[in-house]
Amino acid sequence: MLNEDFLGRIAIVCIMTVLAVLSAIPLFVYFHQNASVYSLAMVNQVLATVLSALQVFLTVGRLPPKGTAQGIEPRVTSVAGTFLIIVAMFVTPALESEAAQMVALCLIFIGMVGSVFCLYWLGRSFSIMATARQLVTSGPYSIVRHPLYICEATFILGMILSHLSVLMVALGAVQFLVQYRRARNEEGILRQTFPEYEEYARRVPMLLPRFRHSEVSAPSQ
C-alpha cells in the first residue's frame, strides 16, 4: 500500500508542475509584446517559475520523514497557507495604479528571491506539510526559525498591494494567521522528533531577528 508521504509527494509534484507551467506561459506573452527583458514584472514571472520548479525538484528528492503532525488541522493549514493567496489573486482585480504596482512588484521580487534562497538552503528537508525530516539550523535558519515564512509574508504583502481591496486584505489577514499556525504545527513536530530543537528555539527567535548590541567596556582609569 502506498504510504501517505509518497501520495503527498505525488500530489505536490503535480500541483507545483502545473504552477510552474502557468508561471512560464506569460513569459512568452512578454516576448511577443516586445516588452523589456529587464522589466520587473517579467523578472518576477521568471522567479515564480523557478520557485515552483525548485519545489518540484526538492519534493522529488526529499528525505524520508522522521515525524509528521497528526490530525486534519495541520494538513488543512499547510494547504491553505500554500495556496490561499494564489486563489485570492485570481478572484480580485489588480489595481491600475502604476506607482502601487511598482511598489508591489518590488515586494514580490524581494519575497521570491528570499524564498528561493531559503528553499535552496532547506534542501531535501523541504516539506509543505508539518513534517520533520532533518533539522536545519544554519544560514538563514540561524537568524530566525522560519525565514521562509518571513519571505512569503513579504510576497503576500506585495500581492495584497497589487490587488488591493477589502476582500484581498481580509484574505491576506487569514493567510498570515494560517501561516503562523502552520509554523506552530511545524515546531510541535520538530520538538517531538529532535531533542536539540529546544535549545535551538531558545537561541534563535521565531520570526523577528534579534539584534544584539555589542557591549563596549569603559576605558580603564
Side-chain angles (χ1 to χ4, degrees):
M1 180 181 294
L2 296 176
N3 61 38
E4 181 181 345
D5 184 65
F6 181 78
L7 292 175
R9 182 180 307 189
I10 294 299
I12 295 303
V13 166
C14 291
I15 293 171
M16 289 303 173
T17 299
V18 171
L19 290 177
V21 172
L22 292 177
S23 298
I25 289 175
L27 296 177
F28 295 100
V29 177
Y30 283 121
F31 282 121
H32 181 70
Q33 294 178 346
N34 295 319
S36 170
V37 294
Y38 299 106
S39 72
L40 192 52
M42 184 174 181
V43 171
N44 284 347
Q45 206 66 50
V46 171
L47 284 171
T49 305
V50 170
L51 190 59
S52 296
L54 183 58
Q55 290 181 75
V56 171
F57 176 77
L58 294 177
T59 298
V60 170
R62 68 190 183 187
L63 296 169
K66 296 181 179 179
T68 303
Q70 300 302 308
I72 188 66
E73 183 270 324
R75 289 159 175 76
V76 172
T77 301
S78 297
V79 173
T82 302
F83 300 110
L84 178 60
I85 202 65
I86 297 175
V87 174
M89 180 184 65
F90 287 106
V91 299
T92 55
L95 288 181
E96 296 183 2
S97 168
E98 184 176 343
Q101 288 299 335
M102 181 57 63
V103 175
L105 286 171
C106 288
L107 289 171
I108 293 170
F109 173 78
I110 293 170
M112 286 201 291
V113 168
S115 295
V116 169
F117 177 70
C118 290
L119 277 175
Y120 170 79
W121 202 274
L122 195 59
R124 298 178 65 200
S125 298
F126 166 73
S127 180
I128 286 181
M129 300 299 174
T131 305
R133 300 180 188 277
Q134 185 180 46
L135 185 58
V136 178
T137 61
S138 60
Y141 291 86
S142 66
I143 302 173
V144 291
R145 302 198 298 273
H146 299 279
L148 182 57
Y149 290 165
I150 298 298
C151 297
E152 289 179 353
T154 306
F155 167 82
I156 292 167
L157 285 174
M159 292 305 303
I160 292 173
L161 180 58
S162 176
H163 296 251
L164 190 61
S165 65
V166 174
L167 177 59
M168 192 63 170
V169 171
L171 291 174
V174 172
Q175 174 88 19
F176 287 132
L177 291 174
V178 167
Q179 288 290 73
Y180 180 77
R181 179 58 186 170
R182 184 181 179 188
R184 285 299 189 187
N185 289 335
E186 291 178 0
E187 295 205 337
I189 190 61
L190 288 170
R191 278 190 169 89
Q192 291 177 26
T193 308
F194 302 107
E196 62 271 30
Y197 189 84
E198 201 64 50
E199 189 278 330
Y200 167 67
R202 283 195 298 268
R203 178 169 47 86
V204 178
M206 182 180 183
L207 295 170
L208 299 177
R210 186 182 298 136
F211 298 101
R212 294 187 178 89
H213 296 285
S214 59
E215 297 181 359
V216 179
S217 58
S220 57
Q221 301 298 324

